[in-house]
Amino acid sequence: MSNATASPGEQLSYQVVDFGQPLQLARRAIASPQGSEVLVRISACGVCHSDLHMAEGFFDLGDGRHFGLEKVLKPPRTLGHEIVGSVAANGPDAQGALGRSVIVFPWIGCGQCALCARGDEHMCARPESLGTTRDGGFSTHVRVPHPRYLIDHAGIDAAFAATLACSGLTAYSALKKVAPATEQAPLVIIGAGGVGLAAVALAKALHGLGPIVVDIDPAKRQAALGAGASRVVDPAEAEAAKTLARSSAEGVSAVLDFVGSTRTFEFANAVVGKGGKILIVGLFGGSASIQLPLIPMRAISIGGSYVGSLAELRELVALAQQGVLPSLPLTSRPLGDVQTVLDELRAGKVTGRAILQS
């Protein structure tokens, strides 16, 4: 894709028109925000692995089964949910937002159900999320339903700030669900892609002890060491799971699986210690067979973690503004390169995070 230029008053977007096909460039007049809406002029948007699933139109459930996205993501749809930009216009009921440089919280709910009322909009069964049910950030502009979803990022570079809305938030929320690691009972992270590396850096920054990182890619293992991993493991090595399971005094306390495939779950199940926890975060896809008696006999817990809440994003941004979080490997690309970036991500050629600049 070439990096097209917008005319005055025009919005450019790269959209899913047909699932499984390349994104297409759409041009349209910039619509004025209505009611409490806010129009954000996008300066940076991260490209996430979940965007691949959105573009393909399904999640892989294993054994040839798919979870289709036709009813959720109705083409034409602009993907992209790691959004940073400046407020260009307010609706008549939106106050005090003009000119602010902001991170956009994309995981918006219906605002009426019990989950939304308790602050868990990201779990809402009737979502209004940007980049899925509403148009997102692979664009020059995005309309946000309310100013409460905008968070100032003063003191944080825009490209890094964009990653906080998904990869950072997902990693932070997952880490909050497990106990801090110790040398006797370490934390294991599977997958050193963009989200996994964010979790490595966060775990090191928050707990003072880097996790053990498992990845098949030597470059990603090296990146994990740079992000603060205590050590790295190649799961393809003979006896890798058995060696890791026996490498600490109290056993592995928790495994965060940022891939979420059949093989990574099986590895996690093989290494987690008694009383430990497996938390599946990645959406790569697949299925797994579990020997049910071994769950109570080992007293392990198996759970999931999906992005995070608006309150958690505010906590994470505050940590970043305090300088607690180290930077991650970022690559800036023009907005028009979005399809190329998606293709590279699919081929496993992206280490860290690719950020689109518009």
Side-chain angles (χ1 to χ4, degrees), residues 20-21 49 51-53 55-56 284 339-350:
Q21 298 299 313
H49 200 279
D51 290 315
L52 287 176
H53 300 293
E56 291 165 351
F284 185 89
Q339 185 60 51
T340 301
V341 173
L342 286 171
D343 292 340
E344 291 171 352
L345 194 61
R346 183 181 292 107
K349 296 180 179 179
V350 177

Side-chain angles (χ1 to χ4, degrees), residues 127-181:
E128 294 290 332
S129 300
L130 304 180
T132 51
T133 51
R134 296 174 64 108
D135 284 337
F138 295 168
S139 179
T140 55
H141 298 77
V142 67
R143 286 158 59 121
V144 183
H146 196 279
R148 68 172 171 269
Y149 301 115
L150 308 179
I151 301 173
D152 289 298
H153 65 90
I156 311 172
D157 176 75
F160 179 60
T163 70
L164 299 179
C166 179
S167 61
L169 176 60
T170 300
Y172 179 67
S173 185
L175 283 167
K176 288 182 67 175
K177 295 178 175 69
V178 298

Side-chain angles (χ1 to χ4, degrees), residues 311-334:
E312 287 175 324
L313 181 56
R314 293 189 186 280
E315 293 170 7
L316 181 63
V317 171
L319 288 171
Q321 288 173 324
Q322 295 166 22
V324 172
L325 310 183
S327 60
L328 296 172
L330 302 177
T331 303
S332 293
R333 304 283 286 272

Side-chain angles (χ1 to χ4, degrees), residues 173-189:
S173 185
L175 283 167
K176 288 182 67 175
K177 295 178 175 69
V178 298
T182 67
E183 291 185 2
Q184 292 74 33
L187 168 68
V188 169
I189 284 177

Side-chain angles (χ1 to χ4, degrees), residues 140-273:
T140 55
H141 298 77
V142 67
R143 286 158 59 121
V144 183
H146 196 279
R148 68 172 171 269
Y149 301 115
L150 308 179
I151 301 173
D152 289 298
H153 65 90
I156 311 172
D157 176 75
F160 179 60
T163 70
L164 299 179
C166 179
S167 61
L169 176 60
T170 300
Y172 179 67
S173 185
L175 283 167
K176 288 182 67 175
K177 295 178 175 69
V178 298
T182 67
E183 291 185 2
Q184 292 74 33
L187 168 68
V188 169
I189 284 177
I190 300 179
V195 185
L197 285 179
V200 174
L202 276 166
K204 174 69 173 180
L206 296 176
H207 303 152
L209 178 66
I212 299 169
V213 175
V214 178
D215 201 291
I216 59 173
D217 187 335
K220 291 181 179 178
R221 293 198 299 271
Q222 190 60 42
L225 289 171
S230 60
R231 62 187 176 99
V232 294
V233 173
D234 180 356
E237 290 183 353
E239 304 291 312
K242 184 181 292 186
T243 301
L244 178 53
R246 297 176 177 177
S247 64
S248 56
E250 299 175 13
V252 171
S253 64
V255 183
L256 301 183
D257 182 358
F258 287 100
V259 179
S261 71
T262 301
R263 288 186 176 180
T264 57
F265 174 79
E266 289 173 348
F267 191 93
N269 194 29
V271 303
V272 70

